[in-house]
Amino acid sequence: MNVTIWNENRHEQKNPEVKKIYPEGIHGQLASVLNQEFEVKTATLDEPDHGLTDEVLNNTDVLLWWGHLAHGEVKDEIVEKVHQRVLEGMGLIVLHSGHFSKIFKKLMGTTCDLKWREADEKERLWVVDPSHPIVAGVGEYIELEKEEMYGEHFDIPAPDQLIMVSWFEGGEVFRSACTYQRGKGKIFYFRPGHETYPTYYHEGVQRVIKNAVYWAMPTERPMPVYGNAKPLEEIKPKK
């Protein structure tokens, strides 16, 4: 099971506070969480082809995506390749501010806009679908002492499955764990993960991400056949 973690890796270079929290980058911390159970590669914005060469994408079962400062710098041709791979069956997990990434907006077909605020406030992510495998091993909620607030309205299509809803200390709520299917690919959006907080060290958050990787793995089935089709049965001429 091959996982690629993509991170634009800009905050870690520009902000000493982020560098202190994630000395190996957000992608490095996520890799340390996943590499005991999966074959993990990392890729960043400033690598050739953003680290997402044809070889890497063709050998990726699930792609994680974290971006924020530089959504516009992601090349459209790379977005198209990622989009095609999702339609072919590659899983995609979009984290936190990746909601504004080109690939997520393309797959959703909406602005993916929202309210936000940075005020060191408590976030409580309530599980609203306890039967879903993405929250296996998670209690009734995950509580984060400090996080960035995202608030409704979140301009996304109605999720195929809504798994968690966040409440914030300032009063807002947010659809924080949502699944979609596009083509043969499974997509999971997971809200927490602001760069100036140690969110990806939280065991509950890590459990959700691990579960999501298993959930998003491709189903091994042949691609459907499209186009003009010969009949399976004899079609008798109509009198």
Side-chain angles (χ1 to χ4, degrees), residues 136-171:
V138 177
E140 287 190 313
Y141 59 85
I142 294 170
E143 187 162 301
L144 302 174
E145 182 180 353
K146 294 180 181 180
E147 251 293 356
E148 180 183 18
M149 184 280 292
Y150 280 5
E152 296 286 348
H153 176 247
F154 187 15
D155 186 21
I156 52 174
D160 294 342
Q161 296 161 304
L162 177 60
I163 304 170
M164 305 182 84
V165 172
S166 285
W167 165 89
F168 292 90
E169 194 172 351

Side-chain angles (χ1 to χ4, degrees), residues 110-116 150-158 172-175:
T110 57
T111 69
C112 300
D113 212 344
L114 46 78
K115 295 183 180 72
W116 63 274
Y150 280 5
E152 296 286 348
H153 176 247
F154 187 15
D155 186 21
I156 52 174
E172 289 83 3
V173 297
F174 192 77
R175 290 168 290 169

Side-chain angles (χ1 to χ4, degrees), residues 101-116:
S101 63
K102 288 182 178 180
I103 183 58
F104 191 62
K105 291 197 287 186
K106 182 177 179 67
L107 288 161
M108 295 299 102
T110 57
T111 69
C112 300
D113 212 344
L114 46 78
K115 295 183 180 72
W116 63 274

Side-chain angles (χ1 to χ4, degrees), residues 73-183:
E73 294 182 41
V74 178
K75 297 176 183 177
D76 291 341
E77 56 264 35
I78 301 300
V79 176
E80 289 296 329
K81 289 180 179 182
V82 173
H83 182 261
Q84 184 59 39
R85 284 289 292 123
V86 171
L87 298 182
E88 292 169 355
M90 181 183 73
L92 178 66
I93 298 173
V94 177
L95 299 170
H96 190 57
S97 46
H99 72 90
F100 249 172
S101 63
K102 288 182 178 180
I103 183 58
F104 191 62
K105 291 197 287 186
K106 182 177 179 67
L107 288 161
M108 295 299 102
T110 57
T111 69
C112 300
D113 212 344
L114 46 78
K115 295 183 180 72
W116 63 274
R117 176 176 63 244
E118 293 183 41
D120 291 350
E121 57 196 287
K122 180 187 297 183
E123 176 182 7
R124 191 173 291 136
L125 295 102
W126 287 95
V127 174
V128 296
D129 186 355
S131 68
H132 200 283
I134 285 178
V135 286
V138 177
E140 287 190 313
Y141 59 85
I142 294 170
E143 187 162 301
L144 302 174
E145 182 180 353
K146 294 180 181 180
E147 251 293 356
E148 180 183 18
M149 184 280 292
Y150 280 5
E152 296 286 348
H153 176 247
F154 187 15
D155 186 21
I156 52 174
D160 294 342
Q161 296 161 304
L162 177 60
I163 304 170
M164 305 182 84
V165 172
S166 285
W167 165 89
F168 292 90
E169 194 172 351
E172 289 83 3
V173 297
F174 192 77
R175 290 168 290 169
S176 287
C178 306
T179 71
Y180 297 90
Q181 184 171 320
R182 295 291 185 268

Side-chain angles (χ1 to χ4, degrees), residues 16 22 33 40 168 171 174 178 181 186 194 212 225 231 237:
Y22 295 110
V33 171
V40 177
F168 292 90
F174 192 77
C178 306
Q181 184 171 320
K186 299 174 186 176
H194 187 62
V225 177

